[in-house]
Amino acid sequence: MLNTTRKKILAILVCIILYALLANARSLDESFLEAAFGLKLAIIVIAGNMFGSYIGASVGIGGAVVNGLITGNVLEWISILGNLVIGVVSGLLARRFMSPVAALSLLLGYAVNLTAANIFGVVPAGLLASSTFWWGLTLRLLGGIFAGIIGGR
């Protein structure tokens, strides 16, 4: 029992570190940076797919908290709920369906994050009307779903 618990804690810590590294990839090329923001959420999907809802939720919350502490970015604190949703839903869907379906939990997570950011007034009003924003979001979503499929079980 203890050995299994240690493995789960190690999996959570490794995934949180990967989340924080991808979220803070600021010194890299800008095109990679856009993909990295989508991939940090894919880490949550992969954790949910591989280890279940509790681990996925822990990675989602822990990743947002650690990155919020590192950067002081308000969006990270707001995204805690969306990350929690991504982790729980991907873990639940992975039980019954294949990883491509579980990776669709990103849609729900993005919707929660955007809604929360809008409620707290963090997203500029004109941003949601911009087609560039929606194309970027779509590319990040597709990259995250693809990474979730590859990293799934």
Side-chain angles (χ1 to χ4, degrees):
M1 177 78 174
L2 186 60
N3 194 19
T4 304
T5 304
R6 285 183 183 166
K7 286 181 183 178
K8 288 180 180 179
I9 291 171
L10 181 63
I12 291 170
L13 291 175
V14 167
C15 288
I16 288 172
I17 290 168
L18 283 172
Y19 179 102
L21 286 173
L22 285 171
N24 290 291
R26 291 178 187 16
S27 64
L28 300 172
D29 181 32
E30 190 173 315
S31 60
F32 178 79
L33 186 62
E34 286 298 316
F37 285 127
L39 293 179
K40 76 175 185 177
L41 297 180
I43 297 297
I44 303 169
V45 173
I46 292 168
N49 279 351
M50 292 179 68
F51 304 110
S53 295
Y54 295 118
I55 305 295
S58 299
V59 169
I61 293 169
V65 168
V66 167
N67 199 43
L69 289 172
I70 291 171
T71 63
N73 189 347
V74 175
L75 283 174
E76 280 298 330
W77 296 103
I78 291 173
S79 71
I80 288 175
L81 180 61
N83 289 2
L84 170 75
V85 168
I86 293 170
V88 169
V89 172
S90 67
L92 291 174
L93 289 176
R95 285 181 170 182
R96 303 199 93 177
F97 305 103
M98 294 172 57
S99 57
V101 176
L104 292 175
S105 64
L106 284 171
L107 285 171
L108 187 57
Y110 270 123
V112 171
N113 285 343
L114 274 175
T115 303
N118 221 0
I119 289 171
F120 287 101
V122 178
V123 176
L127 185 64
L128 295 178
S130 166
S131 64
T132 306
F133 169 77
W134 291 106
W135 276 112
L137 184 66
T138 301
L139 290 175
R140 283 189 297 244
L141 181 64
L142 290 174
I145 289 173
F146 185 69
I149 290 169
I150 291 173
R153 47 180 159 158

